[in-house]
Amino acid sequence: MSQDMSKYNVRVGEDSFGIFVEVADFNDYDELEDVFVKQYDLEVIAVTHANSSEDGNFKIWFNQTLSVVFIKKIINEINTKNA
């Protein structure tokens, strides 16, 4: 990842399947998935790659036992490290 990249542009949400982090950029998706697993030891329960008719976004899914607030806190920590 380049040093000048200030922040990941993500959306964190929750539905009946679990908690998700949604990104539009594949490289961000790939990097974030690695960071979640390797640095934060989170278990990813699923990933989705939507087609262009569904906005073309990528989602990383986590178990609902984690909270949206917790995932947002991790995103903020990651963004701070990359600022």
Side-chain angles (χ1 to χ4, degrees):
M1 176 177 21
S2 67
Q3 292 295 336
D4 60 341
M5 181 177 197
S6 60
K7 295 190 178 194
Y8 290 106
N9 185 15
V10 302
R11 182 174 75 93
V12 179
E14 182 175 16
D15 65 14
S16 61
F17 184 70
I19 295 170
F20 62 86
V21 175
E22 182 176 31
V23 297
D25 181 79
F26 175 80
N27 291 327
D28 288 353
Y29 151 78
D30 191 42
E31 290 172 5
L32 281 171
E33 183 181 23
D34 286 345
V35 169
F36 288 137
V37 172
K38 294 177 182 175
Q39 292 182 18
Y40 290 90
D41 201 30
L42 297 179
E43 183 178 347
V44 173
I45 61 170
V47 294
T48 57
H49 305 244
N51 60 38
S52 59
S53 68
E54 299 169 327
D55 297 328
N57 290 337
F58 304 88
K59 287 183 180 176
I60 304 167
W61 295 89
F62 301 99
N63 192 302
Q64 287 180 318
T65 58
L66 301 174
S67 70
V68 169
V69 172
F70 177 74
I71 297 297
K72 285 181 177 182
K73 180 181 174 196
I74 290 175
I75 295 290
N76 287 337
E77 287 177 13
I78 294 168
N79 283 336
T80 300
K81 289 177 186 177
N82 293 319

